[in-house]
Amino acid sequence: MRQIFHDELEQIASDLVELAGLVATAIRQSTEALLEADVQLADRVIEGDRAIDDRRNDLDARSVDLLARQAPVASDLRTVVASMRMSSDLERMGDLARHVAQVARMRYPEQAVPTELRETFMRMGSIAERIVTEVAAVILSQDVAAAGEIERIDDELDVLHREMFTLLAEGAWQHGTTSAVDVALLSRYFERFGDHAVTVARRVNFLVTGQAGAVELPEESERS
Amino acid sequence: MRQIFHDELEQIASDLVELAGLVATAIRQSTEALLEADVQLADRVIEGDRAIDDRRNDLDARSVDLLARQAPVASDLRTVVASMRMSSDLERMGDLARHVAQVARMRYPEQAVPTELRETFMRMGSIAERIVTEVAAVILSQDVAAAGEIERIDDELDVLHREMFTLLAEGAWQHGTTSAVDVALLSRYFERFGDHAVTVARRVNFLVTGQAGAVELPEESERS
């Protein structure tokens, strides 16, 4: 019985990792769709978000089923509950990738991002993809040190997000209102990838160390 | 044993209602802080968000404790799991109220919202407050018809959100970039109150009818 339970817990962890993999792909593709004004790729991300939602719903249904059949307590129970919360963060990251793709789609055949900001958004996309890949590794390894590294990567995203808002300040911006609004929302989406990744990492940290700390979303920067 | 369990479930429902009440107050106060450029009130909302987070953490801890002690199955288990998800949506609505207050604080002593948009934001704030108040009633009453009413109220928010983005379109906007970005983000925050309320209502609906439907966040409008 106990062995079956632990096999099932491992299956849930491995499904979370797979979910994170789907999200990493969605982030990479949505960034590319945005920067290349690739409407087919944007549509693929938008369509693909359903698969992420379905995967998350399956995972949660199995977690609830596990609770019902095995009635775990103590750390086993906390692990199942934490898994359901992590799946929620990952699913939300999938939504954010969809939002990025939707901006690309809406501006097509125009570029949503002014030329001189392409580089910054490319970096944000690449950091966001890296952070969710790291998250997958942390879920598997339960490595608390790596969980700390995720907070450091998130700081990089926050710095870029603040830079973006400096560029949007009165007088500095030369690309009109629509573009300013697009850039503000896009920058916020990328910054939120980081927040959700940090939340997942903190949940892993909590499971391993039992130290509560802040398991909710980190404080977002004031401007976001 | 069973009676105690149901008393505890009722306590959790009544705590959710209380949490919704705190969120309704935060929404009302953050809207007022925004429209009156009232920095003291903004600070109260920002500070008060911690109480909402704490309340949610307490509630979730008791839900986990209930799972551990009582090992509920079937609909009882689904109710506890759904409660944890609802608390997460309500807590996130508290964050959104904090974001609104932070915009008010950042622009103080200026007004963040141009004069001719005050009326629209006042309506958005009032609808958002109403929708969370309705959500509290639905959690208590488990009234499926009222849950449907929440989707209708959310539509009102969506309409105002789309109107706002029409005003932000190229050529129409006369208030500069900073203000455009503020208005875009604020409008998105208010629109998101509605999405989270709908999610909570659908969870109640699911508990009562057993009809899954979409229990995740509703599709957001493309532009948000």
Side-chain angles (χ1 to χ4, degrees), chain A residues 51-72:
Chain A
I52 293 177
D53 294 349
D54 289 346
R55 194 68 73 97
R56 181 257 171 125
N57 290 337
D58 284 354
L59 212 166
D60 283 2
R62 275 186 297 117
S63 298
V64 171
D65 182 57
L66 194 60
L67 291 176
R69 282 186 295 105
Q70 305 272 2

Side-chain angles (χ1 to χ4, degrees), chain A residues 111-123:
Chain A
Q111 291 271 357
V113 171
T115 312
E116 71 263 36
L117 291 184
R118 285 173 55 86
E119 174 69 25
T120 311
F121 275 110
M122 206 176 292
R123 282 175 62 200

Side-chain angles (χ1 to χ4, degrees), chain A residues 56 60 64 85 92 98-99 106-107 168 170 177-178 182 189 192 216 219-220 223-224, chain B residues 56 60 77 85 92 98-99 106-107 168 170 177-178 182 189 192 216 219-220 223-224:
Chain A
R56 181 257 171 125
D60 283 2
V64 171
R85 288 174 175 156
R92 184 69 195 141
R98 174 166 51 82
H99 293 339
M106 194 170 34
R107 295 299 161 228
L168 288 169
E170 219 61 71
T177 310
T178 303
D182 282 345
Y189 298 147
R192 295 284 296 157
E216 291 325 307
E219 280 300 302
E220 296 163 53
R223 194 54 180 80
S224 68
Chain B
R56 182 257 172 124
D60 283 2
L77 173 58
R85 289 178 174 153
R92 184 68 195 144
R98 172 166 54 80
H99 293 339
M106 193 169 39
R107 295 297 162 231
L168 288 168
E170 218 62 70
T177 310
T178 303
D182 281 347
Y189 299 146
R192 295 285 295 157
E216 292 325 307
E219 280 301 302
E220 298 164 54
R223 195 55 183 77
S224 67

